[in-house]
Amino acid sequence: MADILSRIKNKDSELVELVEVVEEESEEQILLPAVNELQTVDAQYRQIMFFYESGIEQITAKLQILNNEFKFCNDRNPIENIKSRVKSLESIVAKMQKKGLPLTVNCMMKSLHDIAGIRVICPFISDVYHVANMLINQKDVEVVRVKDYIKNPKENGYRSLHMIVLVDVYFSDHKSQVPVELQFRTIAMNFWASLEHQLRYKKDRNFTEDMQKELKECSEIISEADTRMQKLANQIPSFMDGDKR
Ligand code: 0O2
């Protein structure tokens, strides 16, 4: 059973009844939605991805409603942009190997909480916390972990508010709590993180200490700009959370 994910990866060449494998290995059952077709590796893989995509859809709908409501009351959107993705199989396998985890579906579902990921870009720092709080105050959203890299930036200058939540999703015959990783950040923080990611992962270039230092300084400049923008916003009456209903 040690290499189920590898077998999923090679799904074109091998067809295995994985549902049985998942059930055999689970102590705590994670219920997946029903798939009314032959349980090939391919079908099982799509079933798992459908499970996480459903979590993304649920959270995205909630965020869109919050955004629309705020716009209705305050004449502006606290969310600039929402991006989501289900982690690719290659990234899942690489992360599990890096953590020294056995490559099984059961272990993947229990150990990786960022298979479903949503990035929420907000104009102002206060929007980040406002939107995040509105979301986690909902009864069907349970917070599992919070990492506040805005209050405590990473050593390299990375800033974002990270959360793992479990969101209730109703399937045809049961309810599941789907784990979703949320990253909330401002437009400015996103600018920095996107460029830093491009620079860091450019394979043909050495990422020197000087470059790291320079990037950290850029992060501080950006953070200073975010703070100044926030002060400007705070001076406009009802800009942040005025109720016009
Ligand atoms: P990808 O492709 O973005 O999904 P954990 O998930 O808890 O095991 P970790 O590192 O403790 O792993 O999680 P953490 O700190 O919450 O950060 C995970 C994600 O945040 C990363 O996902 C990145 O998306 C983002 N991130 C964290 N640090 C940085 C950084 O220094 N620069 C940039 N640009 N992004 C960062 P993955 O898994 O790396 O990949």
Side-chain angles (χ1 to χ4, degrees):
M1 301 305 162
D3 64 345
I4 291 165
L5 286 181
S6 317
R7 285 191 294 174
I8 293 176
K9 213 175 166 188
N10 299 323
K11 55 186 181 288
D12 291 340
S13 58
E14 200 178 350
L15 302 176
V16 186
E17 296 223 349
L18 276 178
V19 164
E20 284 176 19
V21 174
V22 175
E23 284 170 359
E24 219 174 276
E25 292 192 343
S26 298
E27 294 148 26
E28 239 177 79
Q29 277 283 322
I30 299 169
L31 291 175
L32 291 168
V35 174
N36 297 321
E37 54 184 291
L38 189 68
Q39 292 293 340
T40 60
V41 173
D42 186 55
Q44 175 68 11
Y45 174 66
R46 283 188 285 114
Q47 187 183 17
I48 292 166
M49 291 305 119
F50 173 66
F51 174 78
Y52 288 106
E53 278 158 10
S54 304
I56 288 178
E57 278 182 29
Q58 197 77 27
I59 293 284
T60 304
K62 286 173 178 296
L63 288 167
Q64 271 160 358
I65 289 168
L66 293 172
N67 199 26
N68 294 344
E69 188 200 18
F70 193 100
K71 166 85 176 168
F72 181 70
C73 300
N74 301 71
D75 277 343
R76 72 174 191 90
N77 289 115
I79 299 177
E80 177 80 10
N81 179 21
I82 302 172
K83 271 194 181 158
S84 60
R85 61 103 185 94
V86 176
K87 212 173 181 69
S88 71
L89 198 51
E90 286 69 22
S91 302
I92 290 172
V93 170
K95 188 158 191 172
M96 292 182 75
Q97 280 173 340
K98 196 171 156 198
K99 287 176 174 245
L101 295 169
L103 292 178
T104 67
V105 172
N106 192 36
C107 182
M108 172 191 86
M109 294 183 83
K110 281 188 181 162
S111 316
L112 298 195
H113 303 114
D114 65 341
I115 296 176
I118 303 182
R119 188 167 291 152
V120 187
I121 311 302
C122 301
F124 297 98
I125 301 170
S126 57
D127 292 329
V128 163
Y129 291 103
H130 188 62
V131 173
N133 278 324
M134 286 192 296
L135 183 71
I136 62 174
N137 281 336
Q138 300 188 7
K139 277 193 182 145
D140 52 356
V141 178
E142 185 188 326
V143 183
V144 176
R145 190 182 82 185
V146 177
K147 283 191 194 171
D148 192 340
Y149 295 126
I150 297 177
K151 291 205 169 80
N152 304 299
K154 283 180 78 166
E155 185 51 37
N156 63 354
Y158 176 77
R159 289 172 161 83
S160 260
L161 174 64
H162 288 196
M163 280 181 186
I164 309 285
V165 300
L166 295 175
V167 62
D168 289 356
V169 177
Y170 288 85
F171 296 105
S172 56
D173 57 355
H174 69 278
K175 180 188 85 172
S176 283
Q177 285 195 300
V178 180
V180 178
E181 188 205 54
L182 283 144
Q183 297 181 355
F184 294 90
R185 55 175 83 138
T186 63
I187 299 167
M189 291 169 197
N190 192 49
F191 161 75
W192 183 92
S194 304
L195 301 198
E196 185 264 358
H197 187 265
Q198 285 185 30
L199 290 167
R200 189 177 290 276
Y201 291 97
K202 198 85 186 134
K203 288 190 182 76
D204 57 358
R205 179 171 297 178
N206 254 354
F207 204 70
T208 63
E209 263 184 39
D210 278 354
M211 289 165 80
Q212 287 185 41
K213 207 167 147 241
E214 181 74 5
L215 262 176
K216 193 170 179 180
E217 275 176 37
C218 288
S219 161
E220 273 148 26
I221 293 167
I222 282 162
S223 172
E224 159 85 18
D226 255 344
T227 307
R228 289 170 69 173
M229 290 294 187
Q230 182 70 58
K231 283 184 184 154
L232 283 174
N234 292 348
Q235 288 171 39
I236 301 172
S238 307
F239 190 68
M240 301 319 294
D241 198 15
D243 194 345
K244 292 186 182 154
R245 277 172 291 196

